[in-house]
Amino acid sequence: KDNKNQNLRCPIVCVLGHVDHGKTTLLDKIRKTRVAKREAGGITQHIGASEIPIDVIKRLCGDLLKMLKADLKIPGLLVIDTPGHEAFTSLRKRGGALADIAILVVDINEGFKPQTVEAVNILRQCKTPFVVAANKIDLIPGWNSKEGPFILNFNEKAQHPNALTEFEIRLYENIIKPLNELGFDADLYSRVQDVTKTVCIIPVSAVTGEGVPDLLMMVAGLAQKFLEDRLKLNVEGYAKGTILEVKEEKGLGTTIDAIIYDGIAKRGDYLVVGLPDDVLVTRVKALLKPKPLDEMRDPRDKFKPVNEVTAAAGVKIAAPELDKVIAGCPIRIVPKDKIEEAKEEVMREVEEAKIEVDDEGILIKADTLGSLEALANELRKAGVKIKKAEVGDVTKKDIIEVASYKQSNPLHGAIVAFNVKILPEAQKEIEKYDIKVFLDNIIYKLVEDFTEWVKKEEE
Ligand code: GTP
Ligand code: MG
Ligand code: NA
């Protein structure tokens, strides 16, 4: 391995934007994957992660890299995909806070939408620098879109004058103007003089691949520059991370998929996990790395065992007692003498993320802390009272608990459950106590179905 670059930190790039503006499809184009097409309801509902190695970036950028006046020294980019649906504010905030740099994806034809504005405000709050990927340029009337650098396709030879005019209008009206209104100077990236003062806009098409080299070149160049400016290039200390998913793996038992956003994780060190009412300390049995360009949530390939993982990276961790942990929880991977410090850190983080509940109401369940929070927020917005919010499958105990809620108010005899299972033992109890269980893998459908049921019951 290249010793010189061993401690060079891989920048975290968060992809944010309004629902369906093309975040996942854009990453699919870069990775040559098809994640977007397999998502329930066509929307992203979790945080995803994938690594783009530097050689892939260099290959895709080709001669464009000469536009950067520096050599790329970063080992690659760790890209975090986030959901654009309004329910997932907490995941966008988490992604925005983790990131060194962000890509704000905006459909150039639709322009700024509520979650675009929300994303800009999150980035402003976190002081995260960002570029804009002005997506779906292939849909500009008359635009002749083709794979490769945008900059080579943006001239009178390649485009009809009307298409160029239409492009300029959309670029200004739908992207530059709304950014100005939010207090940001912005321009087409090739016209930007000072990247620290003006937001760079890179026109792209996630469908044709046009502009992907320009986007990668700018993001890699800027990420390196910002990291250098902040002297954050070297990785030191123990690993800090967050759990994306808890998964059964053949031969390994229960494992967690996590993002390590800072520090170094070592096999044999102690894994400290902050749980809602507890802290778990266990020993790391194995660290496994996903293949480059694989989306961790939907990998094409097997994970590879390693002794050490340096931030930023996605990693699968095997350790005893992981069946107790839940997605969304904070983690640390530390040597023995740092366990107490790590415990305090994760407990503080968990406390800050707790969901508030009402004196009376329904029970809600979800697969991760992030989706539970999203579900709670969406139900609240619809005026629904929540007595208890928990991560996990629907159990017999849940049904018996809700049966007691129902006695004081029939409309509270319900469970709203996102992306979990109803355990077989619970099924009989559901019938016995006549409990209404709403189960779906699309958050907004759950909220709709539940509020419709309440309306009918009230009539
Ligand atoms: P959420 O994660 O749910 O917020 O959506 P997203 O931003 O990840 O968008 P997604 O990748 O799911 O794409 C939404 C739709 O837009 C899909 O039907 C894509 O095929 C389509 N789409 C994405 N990018 C482009 C593009 O550049 N051109 C065209 N024509 N369609 C696109
Ligand atoms: Mg998506
Ligand atoms: Na989508």
Side-chain angles (χ1 to χ4, degrees):
K1 259 219 136 157
D2 192 350
N3 269 330
K4 208 173 59 211
N5 285 350
Q6 219 163 40
N7 282 327
L8 222 58
R9 162 113 130 53
C10 174
I12 302 180
V13 181
C14 180
V15 185
L16 289 166
H18 195 73
V19 67
D20 282 348
H21 277 198
K23 299 173 287 298
T24 307
T25 309
L26 189 55
L27 295 179
D28 278 337
K29 191 73 194 176
I30 297 168
R31 297 180 300 222
K32 298 196 162 73
T33 51
R34 296 164 65 83
V35 175
K37 289 218 160 65
R38 300 220 287 256
E39 290 177 325
I43 63 168
T44 303
Q45 305 190 94
H46 293 94
I47 282 187
S50 42
E51 256 179 76
I52 310 175
I54 197 65
D55 51 309
V56 172
I57 294 171
K58 284 181 174 164
R59 179 159 44 78
L60 286 171
C61 292
D63 285 342
L64 260 196
L65 282 180
K66 289 184 190 140
M67 282 178 82
L68 290 178
K69 281 161 199 110
D71 282 340
L72 286 179
K73 293 175 286 187
I74 48 171
L77 297 169
L78 181 73
V79 183
I80 311 284
D81 190 12
T82 68
H85 187 269
E86 60 172 322
F88 297 96
T89 304
S90 67
L91 293 185
R92 283 189 291 278
K93 278 191 184 149
R94 178 142 23 108
L98 285 180
D100 297 300
I101 185 172
I103 300 174
L104 179 68
V105 177
V106 188
D107 179 337
I108 195 171
N109 312 292
E110 272 201 2
F112 270 52
K113 291 281 171 181
Q115 272 61 53
T116 323
V117 176
E118 186 204 74
V120 170
N121 287 327
I122 289 170
L123 295 170
R124 191 203 319 261
Q125 230 168 40
C126 305
K127 297 194 169 67
T128 307
F130 65 96
V131 301
V132 173
N135 193 29
K136 309 201 186 185
I137 54 168
D138 59 295
L139 297 181
I140 293 172
W143 191 264
N144 175 18
S145 187
K146 62 174 192 214
E147 188 156 21
F150 165 81
I151 206 75
L152 301 180
N153 202 34
F154 177 54
N155 53 57
E156 276 100 31
K157 263 193 214 134
Q159 308 295 341
H160 192 276
N162 293 349
L164 287 171
T165 306
E166 196 54 49
F167 166 81
E168 294 290 357
I169 291 172
R170 288 175 195 216
L171 179 72
Y172 180 72
E173 290 294 328
N174 294 344
I175 298 180
I176 295 178
K177 203 163 123 197
L179 272 171
N180 289 166
E181 282 161 7
L182 289 166
F184 288 92
D185 206 10
D187 210 341
L188 186 64
Y189 85 93
S190 52
R191 296 171 185 157
V192 169
Q193 302 286 335
D194 182 349
V195 292
T196 60
K197 294 206 176 84
T198 307
V199 173
C200 291
I201 303 169
I202 301 109
V204 295
S205 166
V207 166
T208 66
E210 181 172 357
V212 166
D214 316 58
L215 180 65
L216 285 173
M217 185 258 310
M218 286 308 288
V219 169
L222 284 175
Q224 178 165 306
K225 180 176 166 32
F226 289 130
L227 281 181
E228 273 171 347
D229 289 354
R230 294 186 193 173
L231 300 172
K232 275 168 65 176
L233 220 50
N234 289 322
V235 198
E236 286 169 346
Y238 58 73
K240 302 178 179 184
T242 180
I243 302 179
L244 292 183
E245 239 176 321
V246 184
K247 267 189 200 151
E248 273 314 305
E249 296 283 349
K250 250 195 213 141
L252 291 172
T254 311
T255 67
I256 56 176
D257 289 353
I259 294 177
I260 303 297
Y261 56 81
D262 198 10
I264 303 165
K266 293 178 180 150
R267 189 168 64 98
D269 269 358
Y270 293 84
L271 172 68
V272 179
V273 186
L275 299 171
D277 300 299
D278 199 9
V279 179
L280 171 74
V281 180
T282 178
R283 199 93 186 246
V284 176
K285 210 166 63 183
L287 292 170
L288 300 119
K289 286 268 294 169
K291 275 271 176 64
L293 297 177
D294 260 8
E295 168 59 78
M296 266 202 106
R297 299 191 52 83
D298 186 10
R300 292 169 294 195
D301 242 314
K302 281 241 169 62
F303 289 56
K304 189 178 120 223
V306 292
N307 287 323
E308 218 178 84
V309 173
T310 301
V315 64
K316 180 183 283 298
I317 303 169
E321 294 181 83
L322 288 181
D323 45 306
K324 290 183 196 152
V325 313
I326 52 188
C329 288
I331 62 166
R332 300 289 183 273
I333 297 166
V334 299
K336 198 165 186 177
D337 63 319
K338 296 281 185 197
I339 292 177
E340 287 311 312
E341 186 180 331
K343 270 180 156 175
E344 270 166 38
E345 276 181 22
V346 294
M347 279 195 290
R348 206 176 318 129
E349 260 185 58
V350 167
E351 214 41 56
E352 281 162 11
K354 276 236 165 99
I355 292 170
E356 272 182 54
V357 290
D358 305 298
D359 294 335
E360 48 167 36
I362 60 166
L363 171 66
I364 67 169
K365 306 222 61 165
D367 61 339
T368 73
L369 284 180
S371 52
L372 188 66
E373 200 178 345
L375 180 61
N377 288 341
E378 287 305 288
L379 286 165
R380 283 252 162 69
K381 268 195 246 161
V384 180
K385 289 247 187 302
I386 300 160
K387 166 97 174 157
K388 199 168 181 183
E390 263 181 2
V391 171
D393 292 327
V394 178
T395 65
K396 184 172 158 182
K397 195 175 132 263
D398 290 336
I399 306 299
I400 293 166
E401 179 153 1
V402 172
S404 77
Y405 302 173
K406 193 183 168 189
Q407 282 181 341
S408 44
N409 184 344
L411 289 176
H412 293 161
I415 298 177
V416 174
F418 171 74
N419 218 16
V420 293
K421 289 195 288 280
I422 299 175
L423 295 182
E425 51 160 50
Q427 202 62 54
K428 255 212 301 245
E429 308 297 314
I430 293 175
E431 285 151 34
K432 183 168 150 200
Y433 294 105
D434 190 25
I435 299 301
K436 196 79 191 155
V437 181
F438 297 86
L439 183 68
D440 210 299
N441 57 4
I442 301 171
I443 285 206
Y444 63 80
K445 260 210 89 229
L446 276 172
V447 178
E448 262 173 35
D449 290 351
F450 179 72
T451 47
E452 232 163 72
W453 173 74
V454 171
K455 224 187 266 160
K456 263 205 208 117
E457 292 293 303
E458 279 173 342
E459 270 166 16

